[in-house]
Each structure stands twice: as C-alpha cells, then as structure tokens.
Amino acid sequence: MLFDTHVHLNAEQFNEDLEEVISRAKEAGVGRMVVVGFDRPTIERAMELVERYEFLYASVGWHPVDAIDMTDGDLAWIEELASHPKVVAIGEMGLDYHWDKSPKEIQKEVFRKQIHLAKRVKLPIIIHNREATQDIVDILREEGAEEVGGIMHCFSGSAEIAKECVDMNFYISLGGPVTFKNAKKPKEVAQEIPLEKLLIETDCPYLAPHPNRGKRNEPAYVKLVAEQIAELKGIPLEEVENVTTQNANKLFNIN
Ligand code: NI
C-alpha cells in the first residue's frame, strides 16, 4: 500500500471530479493520504473530507505566504481541531521567501507560534520551505522541534541539509521533482537518505511527476515517485512502498 503524505484534495482543482480522482488513487494502490489545510477554507474542506472518507487524514496549519493574515483566533481554532482523532499533524507551516506578501519577521513569528502549538498538542509538524532553508533549520533547532519531529515536505535541498533534518527527528518527503531529469539534488537525497527516513507525496494538484509534468497532479501519481526512488536505490518497488508506508503510520501514529 502506498501512503501519499501530502495532498490538497481540498483544493478547488478537485471540485469537479473528486470521486474519479479517489478511485484512480485506489487503483494505483494508494491506501492512505493526508489532506493538508493551510488557511480557513482549506482547513474546513480538509475536515469535511476526513469525516467522509475513512482512508483520509488531515493536517492543519497556516501557510507562511499568508502569515500576515493569521489571527489569535485562527491559532486557537487550529489548536482545537488538533484534538480531532483524524488530525495527525500540524502544518503546513514554515517560511516562503519567494513571495513577499508576508514580511519575513511575521513569517518567523507565525512559524514559531505553530511549533509551540504542536508541542502543546504533541503532534508532528509539516514544513513548507521555499528559499529559506537556513532560517528554517535555525528555527527548528532554536524551538526544539525535535521533540515532536515531522516532515520536510517536498524537500528540494541538498543531501547534507537533509541529513541535518534527519538528525533533528524529521523525515524527508520526496515528491514529483525527484522524477525530473534535471533534478540533481532530490535524486542525491533519494540515494543518500536511508529508506527508513523517507516519505513519499504528490503535493497534488501541484508538481506532477514526469511524464505528467505541468498537468494537474493527483494521488495516483505518487506511484511514479515511489518507482523513481526504487530505481535510484536499486531496490524493489514493493520495499519502497512498505517502508515509506510504515514510516508514515509511525509518524502519524496511525494503527
Ligand atoms: Ni502543500
């Protein structure tokens, strides 16, 4: 069974054909998925979906791009939702220096507040990082995020940084980019990080793997990510499936 650890089935791109998308995922062998909410509407929709489908779980948090909009009420609401039995993580959270909607200092503050929250509710965290690797690593260390651990989502950094994150109790999650021909770093990460520390994801509807690059991504394509990792490590696909699924179950405390 494949476990897609990061999906946005709560995105409007799936409004028209969610049922078909889910059946294709099932056919491809995807048995579990975590629906990630990152603002009011996407969290509400994620909670609706996990109530409706037994094989879906939720992660709730606030995206760094919108950090400037997060109120104390939003944070309290996320903390309340954390006690729901199907909420298995807090996030996505982190830093995104690509877009300048939210100033860096506000992003950092909102990131730290969510790490504190995760420690209170004892759930792992899902990290979004865009062009902010060093600040992320520093904050995780300063805030003792190791205590809850979590996921470096759609990791695109070097194998060296990946190892630093693994040492801080984080899993490295690989997505579509590991299948791109020119993606040197994710391929190195796939080879150098032990399978026991890897997870797989689509981040759908974004970042579709080769040969679907540029199209809408969907959970069925997580198999392409697993196949690429199997090829890079020179091991059977089944082993990648089994171990990454065990890793996810353990991290999310499912079963
Ligand atoms: Ni995402």
Side-chain angles (χ1 to χ4, degrees), residues 37-38 43 60-64 67 70 75 78 90-94 107-121 123-126 148:
F38 49 79
I43 291 173
V60 295
W62 208 265
H63 204 282
M70 194 190 77
L75 197 68
I78 290 170
I90 304 297
E92 50 192 295
M93 63 173 81
Q107 290 194 35
K108 288 180 186 174
E109 191 189 321
V110 164
F111 183 23
R112 288 181 197 273
K113 280 181 180 171
Q114 292 184 85
I115 298 172
H116 300 166
L117 187 161
K119 289 168 85 173
R120 288 195 297 276
V121 300
L123 285 177
I125 59 182
I126 297 180
V148 286

Side-chain angles (χ1 to χ4, degrees), residues 6 45 61 69 83 88 91 96 105-106 126 128 132-133 141-142 144-145 154-155 175 178 207 216:
H6 198 113
R45 178 73 176 144
D69 301 324
S83 63
V88 294
D96 190 320
E105 286 317 308
I106 292 176
I126 297 180
H128 170 101
T133 307
R141 190 162 288 130
E142 284 163 25
C154 204
F155 189 80
V178 75
L207 292 170
R216 183 187 70 170

Side-chain angles (χ1 to χ4, degrees), residues 6 8 36 92 153 203:
H6 198 113
H8 298 288
V36 179
E92 50 192 295
H153 137 65
D203 197 21

Side-chain angles (χ1 to χ4, degrees), residues 235-250:
I235 58 175
L237 172 63
E238 206 191 345
E239 189 179 340
V240 174
E241 259 190 74
N242 292 343
V243 177
T244 55
T245 296
Q246 278 166 24
N247 293 344
N249 287 337
K250 186 174 157 203

Side-chain angles (χ1 to χ4, degrees), residues 126-142:
I126 297 180
I127 305 298
H128 170 101
N129 168 23
R130 196 157 179 200
E131 298 163 20
T133 307
Q134 195 54 53
D135 284 356
I136 296 232
V137 170
D138 290 347
I139 289 176
L140 292 175
R141 190 162 288 130
E142 284 163 25

